[in-house]
Amino acid sequence: MKENPPRQAVLIASGGMDSTVAAYELRSRGTAVTMLSFDYGQRHHVELDFAAKIAALLEVPHEIVDLTGVGRLLGGSALTDDTVPVPDGHYSDETMRSTVVANRNMIMLSIAAGVAVSRGAHCVAYGAHAGDHTIYPDCRPLFYRQAELAIRAGNEGFLADGFCLEAPFLEWTKADIAARGHQLGVPFALTWSCYKGGAVHCGRCGTCVERREAFAAAGLDDPTAYAAGAERGEVA
């Protein structure tokens, strides 16, 4: 987090652990948060319902941007293309490349920046973390730095004083995020991670495995409901 907390922030909120902890973190520092979610035709569309639940608990505005038209053009990803199966395993596995949605964070950050500028917000925030660096190039520090420069250049003269791009967990592990969320009282049972988008978490896809390992590494009870048999999945 930046040294001086922003007065108002637009947070890209997926309904998952990372963005939810970011919402609680911002609120704990006195920042007024607007949660901005995106419907891009993702297989796990259910995540938007969880983002709405968190926004209601925090009593903050929640907007959902319809990007389904764009999502239809972003084929080849297991998250947007029903013909591509969601792989099981760890994010370190080569198969996880199929879960990359082309330029996703840049698209979302561009829209979030527009919302922030139009509303005079002092910050755009998103929940990228170190565990994403292996597979997702738009979650890495280089992208973060270049994205902030692009937002500043593209909105020069229109940004609120002290404007910043926040990625508070950029160098954190998922376990670090789980531990911080526990300190902040985050209701993790009301967050969604699974890419398969079933009635409960599958427990086997990359994001489920990472979620399970994060709670274990942080020494926390995992409140997540997983599909039957998921306990036999590989967890380090």
Side-chain angles (χ1 to χ4, degrees):
M1 282 284 183
K2 307 291 185 182
E3 183 176 348
N4 297 316
R7 294 195 299 276
Q8 182 181 354
V10 175
L11 170 69
I12 295 175
S14 68
M17 288 177 61
D18 312 324
S19 60
T20 298
V21 176
Y24 274 74
E25 182 71 57
L26 287 164
R27 283 294 302 272
S28 75
R29 303 179 79 220
T31 299
V33 178
T34 294
M35 292 174 57
L36 191 67
S37 299
F38 294 87
D39 180 355
Y40 55 97
Q42 62 266 49
R43 188 189 300 258
H44 54 303
H45 185 272
V46 65
E47 68 178 0
L48 302 180
D49 297 332
F50 285 80
K53 292 174 184 178
I54 293 299
L57 275 179
L58 290 174
E59 298 182 325
V60 301
H62 179 223
E63 305 283 354
I64 298 178
V65 180
D66 185 352
L67 287 181
T68 52
V70 174
R72 284 194 294 271
L73 301 175
L74 304 179
S77 169
L79 305 193
T80 58
D81 189 334
D82 289 340
T83 67
V84 181
V86 176
D88 292 339
H90 286 264
Y91 271 142
S92 58
D93 296 343
E94 182 68 15
T95 56
M96 293 301 158
R97 288 175 60 86
S98 69
T99 65
V100 172
V101 178
N103 208 38
R104 178 174 55 178
N105 276 349
M106 179 61 84
I107 293 168
M108 293 180 179
L109 285 171
S110 294
I111 294 171
V115 173
V117 172
S118 67
R119 297 187 178 187
H122 305 83
C123 171
V124 168
Y126 70 120
H129 66 91
D132 290 335
H133 294 178
T134 301
I135 297 297
Y136 303 112
D138 59 1
C139 290
R140 297 171 186 163
L142 176 61
F143 171 81
Y144 162 77
R145 294 191 296 270
Q146 297 295 332
E148 182 171 34
L149 289 173
I151 291 171
R152 290 186 179 280
N155 296 280
E156 185 177 4
F158 295 91
L159 295 169
D161 290 344
F163 178 88
C164 64
L165 178 63
E166 286 267 20
F169 310 134
L170 194 62
E171 303 292 352
W172 289 29
T173 67
K174 194 83 166 187
D176 293 332
I177 295 171
R180 180 55 178 155
H182 178 71
Q183 292 173 346
L184 292 169
V186 171
F188 283 119
L190 296 182
T191 64
W192 185 268
S193 297
C194 184
Y195 280 160
K196 295 186 180 180
V200 296
H201 285 70
C202 75
R204 295 177 179 274
C205 70
T207 189
C208 275
V209 170
E210 183 187 45
R211 181 184 178 104
R212 294 168 64 197
E213 291 182 339
F215 285 115
L220 300 172
D221 291 334
D222 185 350
T224 312
Y226 294 105
E231 69 277 1
R232 294 192 296 273
E234 181 184 2
V235 177

